[in-house]
Amino acid sequence: MDDDSDYSDHDLDDLPANTLQHLETTAIRATQHHDGDYSAATNAPESDYGLDEEEDEVVNLDDAAGLPQSPPWPAPEQQPPPQRSQPNVDQLLQRIKKLEQEKARLNRDLQGEKSRALSKSGEADTLRRRAEAATRGHEQKVSALQQSHSDAIVKVKAELDKMRREREQVQTNNLFLEHDLAREADKAKRSRRHMPSRPKPTAASIVSPSGTPKRAQKTLHLRDGFDDDDIVMASPTRLREKSKALTPKQAGKRKRQVADQSPIQPLQLSEPRERPKTQDSTPSHDPPEHTLLRAFKRDDERFSLLHRLLSHRSSNGTDRILEALAQYAFPSQPQKRLSSIVYDSLSVPSISANVHELALGICRVFISLWKQSLEEKYYAAVFLILDALHFVLAWEPGKTAVAVTAQVVPLIIASVDLVAIPVARAAKGGEKDLADLYSAAQRQIARDIDVADCLELLYVIATSCVSSPSKDSLALFWQTIPSDFALILLNKEQPVIHISLMLRILSTSALHSSLGPIVPADSLPESQGKREADLIHRLTNLFSETPTAIPEPESPPPDPCPAEAIWDLRLSVLDVLTQFSIHEHGSARLASHRACVGRLIKYLDFSISALYAHPLFPTQSNTIASINATMKLVYHLHTSNPGFDIKSKLVGILGGQHAYLVALTRLAFSDGLVLERGIEDAVVDMAHGILDEGLSIEEGEGLLRVFSSGNSV
C-alpha cells in the first residue's frame, strides 16, 4: 500500500497499550485552566487561537514519560463564576448628551411647525372671512338687482295694463261712436222723409208747392235782429238750389213768394227724444251686436256688462270673443255660426231683468255651447267659451259662480279627463296606451283643450264657494267632483302646472268632516275614509317623486324638471297638508295614516341635508321654507293628537329612525348661521320639545356632546 504518512503498522504496534488513552487525557487537561492562573488569563491578551505563545509545548508522542502532567479537572461546583464586563461610563454620557441634543432639535422643529400651522390657520381664517364678506356683498348686490328688476317688471306691467285699459277704452268709445254715428245717420234719413214744410204765414196764407204742414209750427225766437215772421223754414232738400239772396221789402208790403229764397240759412232741428211709432216700422240693417245693444237703452250695469263682453278680446289676443265665434260652427249646424247662437240666446227678454240675471243668462248660453261641443266632439271653440266664462265670473260677484257650479263643473271634469286620463294610462308603460297618447287625434285634443285654463276656472268656482255665505256651497262643490279626479292629476307624469293647480284646488277641500272629494251618500260608510287615505298617500308620495314627462317613442328624453319648480311643488303639498290639519278631522286623518308622518320626517331630513349638499344654491329660500313648514306641521300633529307617538310611525319607513334623530337634532342645535339662516327660533324650540319627550337623559347628553352649539351652552 502506498501511504504518505511517516508511520507504518509496525511502529504503531510497538507503542504501549495505554498510550492513546494517555494522550486523550492529556489533551483534555491542556484545554482547562488552573485556579491560580484564571485571573492572569483574563487580564493577559489572548492569542488568535486562545493559547499563549510562551506556554506552547511540543509533545513527543514517542516519549510517553515526557508528557506534562496536568492537575485533575475540578468539579463543577468548584468552578468560579464568570465575571461580567463593566460598562463604559464616558460612552454612556456621550450617548445621553447626543440624545438630549436630538430631543432639543426635535422640539425646535415641532415649535416651528406649530408656528407655521398657526400662521396657515390665520391666513385661512382671514381668507374665509373675506370670502364670506364677498359672498354677503354679492348676495346683497344680487338681491338689490333682483329687487330693482322686480320693481321694473311691476312698473312695466302696470304701464302695459294701463295702456291695455286705455286701448280698450278707446276701442269701446269707437264702438259707441260707430253705433251713435249709425243711429244719427238713420235719424237723418228718417228726418228728411218726415221733415214738415215751412209754417203758414200769419197774415196771408200762400200755398207752398212743397206742401203745407197740417198744423202751425211754434214760433222761433232767434234774437237775430229780424222779425220772427220773416224767417221761413225751408225744406232741407232745397238747400242745394242756392240763388242770390234778396233784400227784404218793407214791413207793410206783401211777403216774398215761396219761390224766393230766404237770406238766412235754414235751421237744422234736432229730432225729438221719442220718435213716432211709425218710424219703427222702417227696416233696419244694423249688425247683430248693435241690435242687441239697442235692447239696453238705459245706461245701467247690464249695458256695461254686455258692452264689455262684446269688446273683450279672446286669449289669442287678436279677435274679440264674439267675433272669433263667428269663425266656428257645429258639425250638426254648419250653416249657423256660434256667434249667431249667442246673439239669438241673449236677445230673449227673460234674461235681462237685472245684471245678475243677465250674467247668469250669459253663462248658461256659453255652458250650453260647451256641452254641445263635448257631445259632438268638436273642441276647436272650447277656448273661446272658457274666455267668456272667465270674463263674466271675474266681472260678477262670487254668487254667480256658485249658481252655475252644478252645470259647469261636470263639463270641466269631462274636458280635463280627455287629456289627463291618456297620460295616466301611458304612465303604466303599456305600448298601446303610449301609442294612443301620441296619436294625431290625441295631440289635436290636447291642443284644443287647455287643461290649465279649465283648472283655473275650477279654482275660481271653488274659491267662490269658500267665500259664499251659504255653508253648504263648498260641500256641494266637492260632491260634484269624482273621487279619482284628483288622484289622476297628482301623478308625477302629469305636467307640473296641472299638479300645482290641482293642489291649489285641493287646499279648499278641508271641511269639518271630510277631506278632498266627497263620495255619494249611498256609498259604503268606509268609502270616504279610504278615499281620504288614498289622497294623503298620493300627496306624500310627491315628497320623494320627481315630475317627469312621458317621452315620445324613439325620441330623446325630455328635459328634467327645474329644481326650483320641484321645491315650489313640494311647498304646495305642505300647504295642502297644513290646510288639512286645521280641523280636528283632518289632523286625526294625517296622524293616523301609516306613512304620512314618516314621509314628513324623511323630507325634513332631506331638506336639512340639502342645505349642506348645495350651499347658497338659488333654491336656498325654498329649502328654508320647506324646513320651517314641515317642522311646524309635524309639531302640530304631535300636539293636537293626545297620545301620539312619532316613533311608532317610523317603523315602516326605510331609514325613518335615523332621519328622525338626525333631522330633529340638527334643528334643535341649529345656530341659524350662514347655511341655516332663516330657520325660525320657534322651529328650533319645536324640535327641542319633541326630542325631550322621545329621548332618555343618556341619549340627550350624547347628542349634546355630538351637536353642541351656541344655543346648547
Side-chain angles (χ1 to χ4, degrees), residues 463-482:
T463 52
S464 300
C465 293
V466 171
S467 60
S468 174
S470 176
K471 297 181 179 180
D472 299 332
S473 299
L474 189 59
L476 293 174
F477 169 80
W478 284 104
Q479 287 176 1
T480 58
I481 296 181

Side-chain angles (χ1 to χ4, degrees), residues 596-610:
C596 177
V597 176
R599 290 175 177 175
L600 286 173
I601 293 294
K602 289 272 291 184
Y603 181 64
L604 179 63
D605 179 62
F606 169 78
S607 301
I608 296 175
S609 300

Side-chain angles (χ1 to χ4, degrees), residues 3-277:
D3 194 353
D4 295 335
S5 64
D6 297 334
Y7 303 98
S8 63
D9 295 338
H10 298 287
D11 295 331
L12 294 174
D13 292 338
D14 294 338
L15 293 174
N18 57 351
T19 301
L20 293 176
Q21 184 177 1
H22 179 71
L23 290 173
E24 291 176 358
T25 302
T26 303
I28 292 173
R29 290 178 179 177
T31 59
Q32 304 297 329
H33 298 278
H34 298 285
D35 294 338
D37 301 330
Y38 182 79
S39 59
T42 55
N43 294 327
E46 298 178 352
S47 64
D48 296 339
Y49 297 96
L51 297 176
D52 295 337
E53 294 181 356
E54 296 178 354
E55 295 180 359
D56 290 343
E57 294 180 353
V58 178
V59 179
N60 188 4
L61 297 178
D62 296 337
D63 189 2
L67 292 174
Q69 299 294 329
S70 298
W73 181 256
E77 60 273 5
Q78 297 177 358
Q79 296 180 0
Q83 297 183 0
R84 298 181 179 177
S85 60
Q86 296 296 330
N88 194 336
V89 178
D90 295 335
Q91 293 179 356
L92 292 177
L93 291 175
Q94 292 179 359
R95 181 62 177 168
I96 291 172
K97 186 177 181 180
K98 290 181 179 180
L99 291 176
E100 289 177 351
Q101 293 175 354
E102 184 69 18
K103 180 180 178 181
R105 185 183 62 80
L106 292 177
N107 287 333
R108 289 193 301 271
D109 294 343
L110 179 60
Q111 294 298 329
E113 293 296 332
K114 287 183 178 179
S115 300
R116 285 191 290 272
L118 185 61
S119 176
K120 295 289 186 181
S121 177
E123 293 175 358
D125 187 68
T126 302
L127 292 176
R128 188 183 304 108
R129 288 197 299 270
R130 290 179 180 175
E132 291 175 355
T135 302
R136 288 193 298 270
H138 177 68
E139 290 177 352
Q140 293 175 357
K141 291 180 180 178
V142 170
S143 61
L145 290 175
Q146 290 178 349
Q147 183 65 30
S148 62
H149 181 64
S150 302
D151 296 340
I153 290 177
V154 171
K155 183 177 179 181
V156 170
K157 286 184 178 180
E159 293 177 356
L160 290 176
D161 292 338
K162 182 179 179 181
M163 294 174 63
R164 179 178 57 81
R165 289 192 298 269
E166 292 176 353
R167 185 184 63 182
E168 290 180 355
Q169 184 65 31
V170 170
Q171 293 174 352
T172 303
N173 296 336
N174 291 339
L175 185 61
F176 271 111
L177 292 174
E178 292 174 1
H179 176 65
D180 294 339
L181 183 61
R183 186 175 62 183
E184 293 298 330
D186 183 69
K187 288 180 182 179
K189 291 180 182 179
R190 294 175 182 178
S191 63
R192 284 195 295 269
R193 288 195 296 268
H194 300 278
M195 179 66 70
S197 303
R198 76 180 66 170
K200 294 181 179 180
T202 56
S205 59
I206 302 174
V207 180
S208 174
S210 61
T212 303
K214 294 181 180 180
R215 59 181 180 179
Q217 298 293 325
K218 294 182 179 180
T219 305
L220 299 176
H221 303 282
L222 300 179
R223 313 296 185 195
D224 55 356
F226 295 93
D227 294 337
D228 294 340
D229 294 338
D230 295 336
I231 301 175
V232 180
M233 297 301 298
S235 175
T237 57
R238 303 292 299 273
L239 293 178
R240 299 188 185 92
E241 302 175 359
K242 292 184 179 181
S243 60
K244 185 176 180 181
L246 301 178
T247 305
K249 304 288 179 86
Q250 299 182 27
K253 292 186 178 180
R254 182 176 57 86
K255 300 290 184 179
R256 66 172 71 88
Q257 297 296 326
V258 178
D260 299 336
Q261 189 73 334
S262 174
I264 302 176
Q265 296 293 335
L267 299 177
Q268 295 289 339
L269 300 179
S270 61
E271 186 181 9
R273 291 184 178 274
E274 294 182 2
R275 288 177 290 183
K277 294 183 179 180

Side-chain angles (χ1 to χ4, degrees), residues 427-449:
K428 299 179 180 178
E431 295 182 359
K432 183 179 181 302
D433 295 332
L434 186 61
D436 293 341
L437 176 63
Y438 289 105
S439 62
Q442 184 61 34
R443 288 175 186 267
Q444 185 62 39
I445 293 175
R447 284 192 294 267
D448 291 339
I449 298 178

Side-chain angles (χ1 to χ4, degrees), residues 301-318:
E301 294 182 358
R302 294 178 301 155
F303 182 83
S304 179
L305 171 62
L306 192 58
H307 176 264
R308 287 184 177 273
L309 177 62
L310 292 175
S311 61
H312 184 65
R313 293 191 178 275
S314 62
S315 56
N316 60 14
T318 57

Side-chain angles (χ1 to χ4, degrees), residues 652-668:
I653 304 298
L654 183 62
Q657 292 287 348
H658 174 76
Y660 168 78
L661 290 175
V662 173
L664 294 183
T665 307
R666 281 179 168 179
L667 276 183

Side-chain angles (χ1 to χ4, degrees), residues 483-503:
S483 55
D484 57 347
F485 178 72
L487 299 179
I488 292 175
L489 284 174
L490 292 178
N491 279 322
K492 65 182 181 65
E493 288 78 13
Q494 300 286 354
V496 176
I497 182 62
H498 298 173
I499 301 176
S500 300
L501 287 171
M502 191 66 240
L503 291 174

